Amino acid sequence: MLPDHGRSSAELLEELNTLRAADLPTQGGRTTAYVYDSGRPEVRAAAQAAYLAMLEVNGLDPTAFPSIVRLEREVVAAVASRLGGDATTPGIFTSGGTESIILAVKAARDSRPDVANPEIVVPATAHAAFHKAGHYLGVRVKQVPVSPTSFRALPEAMADAITDDTVLVVASAPSYAHGVIDPVVPIAAAAAARGVACHVDACVGGWLLPWLADAGADIPPFDLGVPGVTSLSVDLHKFGYAPKGASVLLFRDSAMRLGAYFACAEWPGYTVINSTIQSSKGAGPLAGAWATLQSLGTSGYRSLGAAALEATRRVVRGISDIPGLRVLGTPDATLVAFTVDDDPGLDVFTIADEARVRGFFLQPQLSYAGMPASLHLTLTGVSESGVDSLLATLAVAVSSARSLGPVSTDALSQIASLDFASLDDAALGALLPAVGVSFAGGTPRMAAVNAVLDGLPPASREALLTRFLSALYSPALDG
Ligand SMILES: *Cc1c(COP(=O)(O)O)cnc(C)c1O
């Protein structure tokens, strides 16, 4: 509640630190998703100082704050120059991959006023952000199955899916879930042959693959240099190691960038011209990203990339050596997904819980469209020193999950039979303890919830998840 009288900054910081104690660690490489640690204190310090210096600047009006135009142009030019463009390549600095993708879909939609019912063609492995874009923008999303063994998009199937309503074709470099690169060259060529735009989702890979290539990895062409690629998204708050809120959307030509912009003169207030979804916005993330790029430089990214590549090779080998585990596909970058071999006694989500109580967070991924449930790891520049400890923990987690056995299905069938539409916050709050989930301190065990979700069709998963989120932000889950 709002205090009657203001509190001291020291007291507030102490409270924040207490709250943060329950969070996953953001540094050290034991949280193998969500966070990207450069492991370099001087780089973090530069980003933090720059972020604070620009904290109060409002990105709403670039004519009032010309510093943001200068910084954004420098960031876009630096990024474009490594990704098949140059200092003249048009771009937009956004708050993240999802915003870059929503704006790419909007630009594609608005570049085709001739299409009444626009649709985009995406591989089944494309990031959820494309579905969010379709939902927000009224654009249909047509999913195309991928190879069941390599998890890469199939260029012929993608080409066959293009219709007169298609305004955008998508390829990932790499996909988040399995870390494999779609064949961008034939997909972009097929789109171009039909006069359709092609977006490369390099959100996670755009600022990683160039450095992996420098370190000798075999990286197929994926960037704006590929004929037919019309836009590309690259997140700096991932392998750019910048503070959160930083992504870049690049366009082949500035006419298409116009389609991402928004202007409004239909009201009596200040003239609105926005390049992003947000209007008033802090300039901290832009300054933080600029400072991180400047502070690491080419040599910094190169050595972080080489370290992440080496860590990935060791992790892939190590996982394959643990009986019962299998890496999915052949990872092209430093993202790895693994599953359990056919073994009813070994539950993949229980492995995640067992690793988490031992200090490593592995990200559960539900089965989808014939692709098995898996655990995901994103390996970064700091992962290498922790590889032995990660693999040892994983081996222990597997044997411990094996002795715990499969997740009990009683609670599962009980939940699966519920009418989710009738679940309110209190009902959901009462349900979770019944399947052994508690958020009241300690490390939450999620295997039962993940098993329940995994057994449901996607629409039911979504219904249950939105109700869970609502309960999480209500008093219903207070311990
Ligand atoms: C992370 C990611 C996104 C979404 O990015 P956010 O920054 O989380 O909004 C989109 N595509 C891919 C491939 C990603 O890895």
Side-chain angles (χ1 to χ4, degrees):
M1 294 300 150
L2 189 67
D4 285 338
H5 301 287
R7 299 163 63 194
S8 75
S9 154
E11 190 184 331
L12 299 179
L13 263 185
E14 195 183 307
E15 187 167 335
L16 287 180
N17 287 334
T18 308
L19 290 174
R20 288 274 288 107
D23 290 354
L24 289 169
T26 56
Q27 289 170 52
R30 289 176 151 241
T31 305
T32 68
Y34 307 129
V35 296
Y36 297 74
D37 179 15
S38 72
R40 302 191 181 199
E42 74 284 5
V43 175
R44 296 182 62 236
Q48 286 178 0
Y51 197 111
L52 281 179
M54 297 289 282
L55 187 65
E56 287 151 12
V57 169
N58 191 348
L60 172 67
D61 186 347
T63 63
F65 303 104
S67 64
I68 58 175
V69 178
R70 189 58 186 267
L71 288 181
E72 178 161 335
R73 289 185 59 186
E74 283 192 20
V75 168
V76 168
V79 170
S81 303
R82 257 330 288 243
L83 290 171
D86 56 34
T88 67
T89 300
I92 302 175
F93 183 86
T94 77
S95 65
T98 300
E99 187 175 21
S100 289
I101 286 167
I102 291 173
L103 292 175
V105 174
K106 172 175 144 47
R109 182 195 69 179
D110 293 358
S111 74
R112 293 293 302 277
D114 56 310
V115 178
N117 295 300
E119 80 182 4
I120 61 174
V121 169
V122 307
T125 46
H127 194 277
F130 291 96
H131 299 271
K132 192 172 188 175
H135 183 77
Y136 284 3
L137 296 168
V139 170
R140 204 164 53 247
V141 179
K142 188 195 271 183
Q143 271 190 329
V144 179
V146 300
S147 157
T149 49
S150 75
F151 306 102
R152 294 195 181 94
L154 300 165
E156 279 178 24
M158 294 289 291
D160 289 347
I162 299 172
T163 71
D164 291 344
D165 287 337
T166 308
V167 297
L168 186 69
V169 175
V170 171
S172 308
S175 64
Y176 181 81
H178 306 107
V180 297
I181 303 174
D182 290 330
V184 173
V185 170
I187 291 172
R194 295 286 298 261
V196 174
C198 176
H199 180 80
V200 172
D201 178 4
C203 279
V204 74
W207 214 235
L208 170 67
L209 299 178
W211 321 112
L212 300 186
D214 285 356
D218 189 15
I219 305 295
F222 71 93
D223 61 20
L224 279 180
V226 175
V229 172
T230 52
S231 59
L232 180 146
S233 48
V234 45
D235 295 350
L236 296 178
H237 64 201
K238 288 178 181 160
F239 283 99
Y241 298 100
K244 287 287 183 259
S247 174
V248 170
L249 172 59
L250 299 173
F251 291 98
R252 178 174 298 281
D253 65 64
S254 57
M256 197 151 181
R257 180 173 64 176
L258 282 178
Y261 288 171
F262 176 79
C264 180
E266 295 279 1
W267 78 310
Y270 55 84
T271 307
V272 169
I273 30 168
N274 295 152
S275 60
T276 59
I277 296 173
Q278 289 177 297
S279 205
S280 281
K281 58 182 176 187
L286 171 61
W290 173 81
T292 308
L293 288 168
Q294 297 295 321
S295 171
L296 272 165
T298 300
S299 65
Y301 285 110
R302 237 179 227 149
S303 70
L304 288 169
L309 184 64
E310 179 55 24
T312 306
R313 287 177 174 154
R314 288 172 58 202
V315 165
V316 167
R317 271 199 307 272
I319 290 176
S320 314
D321 286 346
I322 298 174
L325 300 189
R326 179 166 59 88
V327 171
L328 292 175
T330 307
D332 288 317
T334 66
L335 293 80
V336 178
F338 65 92
T339 190
V340 297
D341 279 325
D342 270 341
D343 181 348
L346 183 58
D347 175 60
V348 71
F349 303 126
T350 305
I351 298 175
D353 282 354
E354 290 302 305
R356 186 156 173 186
V357 293
R358 292 170 177 82
F360 276 94
F361 177 82
L362 309 172
Q363 194 177 40
Q365 304 189 129
L366 304 178
S367 61
Y368 180 69
M371 295 173 266
S374 61
L375 299 182
H376 175 104
L377 303 103
T378 296
L379 298 153
T380 67
V382 298
S383 303
E384 205 191 352
S385 61
V387 169
D388 290 335
S389 152
L390 167 67
L391 291 172
T393 302
L394 204 46
V396 175
V398 167
S399 56
S400 159
R402 212 178 244 117
S403 49
L404 286 167
V407 177
S408 150
T409 53
D410 304 352
L412 309 192
S413 44
Q414 188 196 328
I415 290 181
S417 67
L418 291 173
D419 170 19
F420 299 131
S422 70
L423 277 182
D424 60 15
D425 294 342
L428 198 96
L431 191 67
L432 288 174
V435 293
V437 176
S438 159
F439 290 89
T443 307
R445 292 194 70 90
M446 302 298 290
V449 167
N450 284 318
V452 168
L453 289 170
D454 203 58
L456 295 172
S460 306
R461 292 176 182 174
E462 290 163 0
L464 193 53
L465 287 168
T466 49
R467 276 153 188 82
F468 169 71
L469 192 63
S470 174
L472 192 62
Y473 281 92
S474 79
L477 292 188
D478 290 347

